[in-house]
Amino acid sequence: MTTLLANGRAYDIDAILFDKDGTLLDFLSLWGTWADCLYDRLRAGLAARGIEWRMDEWTGLLGTFHAEDGRMTGFDRRGPFAMGAIDDVTAILAGQAYRRGLPWNDALELVRDCRGQAAAELDRRRPARALPGLRRFLDQCAQHGLPLAVVTADDTKEARKHLHWLGIDGHFADIIGNDRVSRGKPDPEMVYLACASLGIDPSRTALIGDTAGDMQMGKAAGVRLTIAIGASGGLPGADVVISDYDALAILPSGDA
């Protein structure tokens, strides 16, 4: 048993589960790069097919915000870009391409091709950046032998790669991506699978995330504690809200 201090309050836990994007790494640095490339390739692909591109028609569907030059500057935490899986984003964009006149098969092929080009750009640039205080906190967890796992809407292989870019993949006993479950967030299946892998009951586990979907998943699974990070206005279902990892600390049980 280990004691987690969150905003100075003590909670006895046996493991921590982390969302990835927006929780372990800066969401905008990674997925802003991906979105900029995706939209750019999609705009060119539509133009080649005689379809006019109107930025707000596409970005509004996903909940992304952009500067005048088209660069992504923010996102809606309640939207599909923040909470959805890659396949969700693909289906939404392909649906819009279909509404603009492309046959469904061509729409899917176009979006999947653009998605692949965006992924290749990420591999080239590796724009992953850890959130402030994360490395210190992970090292502290390791010093006290606290089991950790990742539960993410991203695919497992991609998630592992992003964490490897940061040099923190070795901190996690398991990484549960959307491809490893039959139902993604906010369904609790990811939490059940991660806890089973760690050999820890959900009721003894803390979950850290940055969206309402994370909090809903944790509550549905019956975790000990849901922690929202970086959500200054709070999130439904969050037991604790922190601005960064400096608000967290690990102590051996009995030292709180």
Side-chain angles (χ1 to χ4, degrees):
M1 182 182 297
T2 304
T3 299
L4 170 67
L5 291 182
N7 289 336
R9 184 174 177 180
Y11 302 88
D12 289 334
I13 61 169
D14 292 331
I16 302 178
L17 307 182
F18 297 80
D19 169 52
K20 176 173 71 79
D21 302 308
T23 300
L24 294 172
L25 54 84
D26 181 79
F27 189 96
L28 195 57
S29 66
L30 183 73
W31 293 106
T33 300
W34 184 85
D36 289 344
C37 181
L38 175 72
Y39 288 138
D40 183 62
R41 300 298 191 274
L42 187 56
R43 178 171 58 248
L46 291 169
R49 292 161 175 80
I51 298 176
E52 182 183 1
W53 168 271
R54 294 191 180 95
M55 190 74 170
D56 59 348
E57 287 185 357
W58 298 82
T59 60
L61 292 171
L62 297 182
T64 58
F65 310 137
H66 299 260
E68 290 186 3
D69 62 2
R71 181 176 54 86
M72 183 174 159
T73 57
F75 57 95
D76 183 357
R77 288 179 183 269
R78 304 168 302 168
F81 195 82
M83 288 194 277
I86 291 293
D87 285 344
D88 297 329
V89 172
T90 299
I92 290 169
L93 294 179
Q96 177 71 347
Y98 168 72
R99 286 190 290 271
R100 295 302 305 275
L102 285 186
W104 178 246
N105 59 308
D106 291 338
L108 271 178
E109 183 178 38
L110 172 62
V111 176
R112 286 171 177 167
D113 181 60
C114 294
R115 191 179 86 179
Q117 293 180 61
E121 183 67 9
L122 283 190
D123 287 345
R124 185 182 72 82
R125 295 176 58 177
R126 299 189 174 191
R129 187 171 67 222
L131 289 192
L134 173 66
R135 297 179 193 278
R136 174 202 60 80
F137 182 66
L138 292 179
D139 287 343
Q140 202 172 65
C141 291
Q143 290 168 8
H144 294 290
L146 186 65
L148 311 177
V150 174
V151 286
T152 175
D154 204 358
D155 287 346
T156 304
K157 181 179 178 181
E158 293 301 301
R160 193 176 300 278
K161 178 171 63 179
H162 299 158
L163 298 178
H164 179 70
W165 290 349
L166 293 174
I168 62 173
D169 51 317
H171 281 282
F172 304 102
D174 204 353
I175 298 172
I176 310 296
N178 210 60
D179 54 307
R180 292 185 59 186
V181 295
S182 58
R183 298 186 66 180
K185 299 178 183 182
D187 189 270
E189 185 181 355
M190 278 188 187
V191 172
Y192 295 148
L193 183 58
C195 288
S197 176
L198 297 178
I200 306 293
D201 190 89
S203 65
R204 302 296 307 164
T205 302
L207 172 71
I208 306 177
D210 70 316
T211 70
D214 295 321
M215 303 300 104
Q216 185 178 347
M217 174 180 67
K219 288 299 184 184
V223 300
R224 169 74 174 88
L225 179 68
T226 52
I227 301 174
I229 187 167
S232 57
L235 286 177
D239 297 315
V240 175
V241 177
I242 61 173
S243 57
D244 55 42
Y245 284 98
D246 288 337
L248 300 180
I250 299 295
L251 299 174
S253 183
D255 286 2

